[in-house]
Amino acid sequence: MMEPQLCGWISTALAIVIAVVYGFFLKPRRNSISLNPTTSRTVSTVTSNVGSLNGSGGDTVADVIVVGAGVAGSALAYTLGKDNRRVHVIERDLSEPDRIVGELLQPGGYLKLLELGIEDCVEEIDAQRVYGYALFKDGKRIRLAYPLEKFDTDVSGRSFHNGRFIQRMREKAATLPNVQLEQGTVVSLLEENGTVKGVRYKNKAGEELTAFAALTIVCDGCFSNLRRSLCNPQVEVPSCFVGLVLENCHLPYANHGHVVLADPSPILMYPISSTEVRCLVDVPGQKVPSIANGEMENYLKTVVAPQMPHEVYDSFIAAIDKGKIKSMPNRSMPASPYPTPGALLMGDAFNMRHPLTGGGMTVALSDIVVLRNLLRPLRDLSDGSSLCKYLESFYTLRKPVAATINTLANALYKVFCSSKDEARNEMRQACFDYLSLGGMCTSGPVSLLSGLNPRPLTLVCHFFAVAVYGVIRLLLPFPSPKRIWLGARLISGASGIIFPIIKAEGVRQMFFPATVPAYYRGPPVEKPNVHSFS
């Protein structure tokens, strides 16, 4: 078994090698951010002569329109409202959501809540503290603690009912007099001469209205019907989650997330209240066994249940018998925006990754911090073209954190799935054993997973350290031609997993953001108010 010190040496050496390798990827990507907002695309907007933002004819006027009041939209509305912006939030359904994801907030995400001043939204909803993960494979188990030693005692992960968390944030946003929450369905963006001026929407009564603002931020979630106007969506659905709630279940490790490396793909469990545990069974592909005709119940009892830890087996069977089984597709989509004057995408409408690692809310909250800091120096947002050019820096500044979490989620999912390929299974076993070593071999990857150290190069170094560790395990004590070939396939397979993900995220922005001109872009110079008299 390799010592942790050797793992550290491998990681350091790989840092040098990989930094050189990345130089080959620095040529511009075809789908990178275009500086020309008139890029040819299919636009699902309504062109209307909206004129100036004067609110005539009963239409509402705000500084910012936020489409969607989920995690990203609600947090954004409160953040901008606190900065004295007039914010109009339009949400399709203001009743409490009932979802099976968006329930685990990593410690890095909790730090962003603190930074935004909304940490109290995880209070009074029976949220549970999360201090790390437990990993299970072939009867073996390891505990992976978050590296929280340098943080206040309040800092940890949080898990909760997604709907309760969202309602708390909506209520907090609504306490600000300059934030208006309205139930309605946004039909289209209003565009004039290439600049988005607002939205057309139907209110709760079914009346079609328009709302105008200097900036429209679309946060309408993973099923966004507006994103095609503002980005080049390349959505992949690698798998589906099947969700159950286990009642009065005692997890093997209290206040920890649990990941079972099952066949064919992982099972995730974590507490969402003091009496409930969320269980998410990953089913590869876009189709799941039918819930209606009993195929799903049979699949869960015959394929999944035998692989569950014995401590939760009875609760798992009871949850299946209760029949409240839900499913949803797991979507992945790299951020590929069209910079558009007057509009911006955020949240799952903008960027998605596999939810296995629970990084989505951390990315969204981190993006809000970046955007808030960019907008704070500006009093006037009405110059759409100048603001659009300035906000191109948002896409660069967010990238190291967002791309690290995205890459980790998508790569880890592929590693954790079983495979008929012997080399892929060796990589899976090597990952489990590497995390068992302790020291930096444990704390390094867990600090990435928790969002406490979202550094791209650290991620790549540990990923390839796992691969090299797997090769060394194969070659000891005596290498054979078969084992050497298997080791070569392991390295090739690891490269085939991570490099396409990195390329889709954008190597230059991810690893070398300071070389992107937009990184240094300053706020536009605001024109003085000039009043003309006739």
Side-chain angles (χ1 to χ4, degrees):
M1 187 66 67
M2 186 188 299
E3 296 296 325
Q5 291 86 349
L6 184 55
C7 277
W9 179 84
I10 291 173
S11 297
T12 305
L14 280 169
I16 300 171
V17 176
I18 293 166
V20 175
V21 172
Y22 289 149
F24 292 101
F25 290 93
L26 289 178
K27 56 186 179 182
R29 293 185 303 142
R30 188 168 182 171
N31 290 330
S32 61
I33 296 172
S34 169
L35 297 182
N36 180 7
T38 61
T39 301
S40 175
R41 62 188 188 273
T42 303
V43 181
S44 60
T45 59
V46 173
T47 303
S48 173
N49 184 20
V50 296
S52 62
L53 306 180
N54 56 17
S56 61
D59 297 319
T60 60
V61 177
D63 297 316
V64 180
I65 291 172
V66 177
V67 181
V71 172
S74 300
L76 181 63
Y78 176 77
T79 300
L80 297 180
K82 199 169 63 170
D83 283 351
N84 296 317
R85 310 277 185 194
R86 294 172 300 164
V87 183
H88 183 189
V89 184
I90 305 173
E91 161 60 35
R92 182 182 58 83
D93 185 358
L94 286 173
S95 62
E96 183 174 312
D98 184 13
R99 303 183 65 206
I100 63 172
V101 293
E103 299 173 318
L104 178 60
L105 180 67
Q106 297 288 0
Y110 182 76
L111 290 176
K112 297 303 176 184
L113 287 185
L114 289 170
E115 199 168 344
L116 295 171
I118 53 178
E119 69 279 5
D120 57 333
C121 291
V122 297
E123 298 173 3
E124 300 178 8
I125 59 172
D126 200 15
Q128 303 297 298
R129 291 173 180 262
V130 179
Y131 296 110
Y133 277 86
L135 206 56
F136 298 77
K137 186 179 187 297
D138 298 332
K140 297 180 180 179
R141 55 183 68 185
I142 54 175
R143 177 178 169 274
L144 309 172
Y146 291 142
L148 300 172
E149 299 81 6
K150 298 180 181 179
F151 299 93
D152 292 340
T153 55
D154 189 50
V155 176
S156 66
R158 295 291 195 281
S159 53
F160 38 70
H161 281 272
N162 171 269
R164 296 177 187 175
F165 179 54
I166 287 176
Q167 289 301 89
R168 285 279 288 160
M169 288 202 292
R170 289 173 178 173
E171 290 166 5
K172 191 172 182 69
T175 61
L176 299 177
N178 50 322
V179 175
Q180 175 194 358
L181 267 73
E182 181 179 6
Q183 184 163 305
T185 301
V186 174
V187 178
S188 58
L189 303 177
L190 295 172
E191 186 173 319
E192 181 188 55
N193 299 325
T195 298
V196 173
K197 297 287 189 178
V199 299
R200 188 183 303 281
Y201 70 103
K202 290 184 178 180
N203 65 9
K204 192 175 181 179
E207 301 169 311
E208 189 166 288
L209 304 172
T210 53
F212 302 115
L215 179 63
T216 299
I217 304 179
V218 176
C219 311
D220 57 345
C222 61
F223 299 104
S224 172
N225 64 341
L226 299 176
R227 69 159 66 100
R228 288 189 179 276
S229 306
L230 304 173
C231 75
N232 176 28
Q234 298 174 336
V235 180
E236 294 183 3
V237 183
S239 67
C240 297
F241 264 160
V242 176
L244 305 96
V245 174
L246 313 186
E247 297 179 343
N248 299 310
C249 173
H250 299 288
L251 291 170
Y253 297 88
N255 299 103
H256 282 66
H258 292 60
V259 180
V260 181
L261 302 190
D263 183 6
S265 52
I267 302 164
L268 181 61
M269 293 178 287
Y270 48 85
I272 54 174
S273 75
S274 53
T275 60
E276 299 166 301
V277 168
R278 170 67 70 193
C279 177
L280 296 171
V281 178
D282 186 86
V283 179
Q286 299 183 24
K287 288 189 67 177
V288 299
S290 172
I291 295 174
N293 66 13
E295 289 180 4
M296 177 62 74
E297 180 179 341
N298 182 63
Y299 176 82
L300 293 174
K301 286 185 174 180
T302 59
V303 177
V304 178
Q307 303 182 74
M308 298 292 283
H310 64 86
E311 294 94 333
V312 304
Y313 180 86
D314 290 341
S315 298
F316 183 70
I317 295 297
I320 298 170
D321 290 338
K322 197 169 184 179
K324 293 184 178 179
I325 303 171
K326 296 184 177 182
S327 69
M328 67 158 289
N330 293 324
R331 294 167 177 253
S332 173
M333 185 185 77
S336 185
Y338 301 130
T340 304
L344 197 68
L345 272 171
M346 293 196 76
D348 282 352
F350 175 45
N351 184 205
M352 294 179 283
R353 76 291 310 148
H354 196 284
L356 175 68
T357 58
M361 289 188 288
T362 300
V363 171
L365 294 169
S366 176
D367 285 353
I368 291 169
V369 171
V370 172
L371 182 63
R372 177 200 64 180
N373 293 341
L374 288 172
L375 292 180
R376 268 187 171 169
L378 304 179
R379 295 190 306 273
D380 184 9
L381 306 178
S382 60
D383 188 343
S385 297
S386 297
L387 181 63
C388 177
K389 196 166 186 64
Y390 170 55
L391 288 182
E392 285 173 10
S393 60
F394 166 74
Y395 302 121
T396 302
L397 294 171
R398 70 175 293 272
K399 185 60 82 167
V401 172
T404 300
I405 293 173
N406 295 343
T407 303
L408 175 65
N410 294 332
L412 203 60
Y413 173 70
K414 292 184 178 181
V415 171
F416 278 1
C417 287
S418 65
S419 173
K420 295 180 180 179
D421 183 353
E422 189 178 358
R424 286 282 294 272
N425 285 330
E426 284 290 340
M427 180 72 177
R428 189 188 195 208
Q429 185 63 50
C431 184
F432 183 87
D433 292 342
Y434 182 86
L435 292 170
S436 306
L437 292 173
M440 69 171 294
C441 296
T442 299
S443 62
V446 176
S447 69
L448 292 164
L449 177 68
S450 64
L452 297 172
N453 179 32
R455 296 182 181 178
L457 193 57
T458 301
L459 166 62
V460 175
C461 286
H462 279 290
F463 187 84
F464 277 100
V466 169
V468 171
Y469 174 67
V471 171
I472 293 175
R473 288 170 66 253
L474 286 170
L475 300 183
L476 295 178
F478 302 107
S480 66
K482 180 181 178 181
R483 286 175 170 267
I484 292 172
W485 174 240
L486 187 58
R489 285 172 50 209
L490 193 157
I491 294 292
S492 174
S495 301
I497 288 173
I498 199 167
F499 282 136
I501 299 172
I502 290 174
K503 190 173 183 181
E505 289 290 337
V507 176
R508 187 180 180 191
Q509 289 178 307
M510 185 171 173
F511 293 94
F512 311 100
T515 68
V516 179
Y519 184 84
Y520 303 98
R521 198 155 290 160
V525 178
E526 296 187 354
K527 300 174 183 178
N529 290 329
V530 178
H531 300 282
S532 59
F533 300 93
S534 54

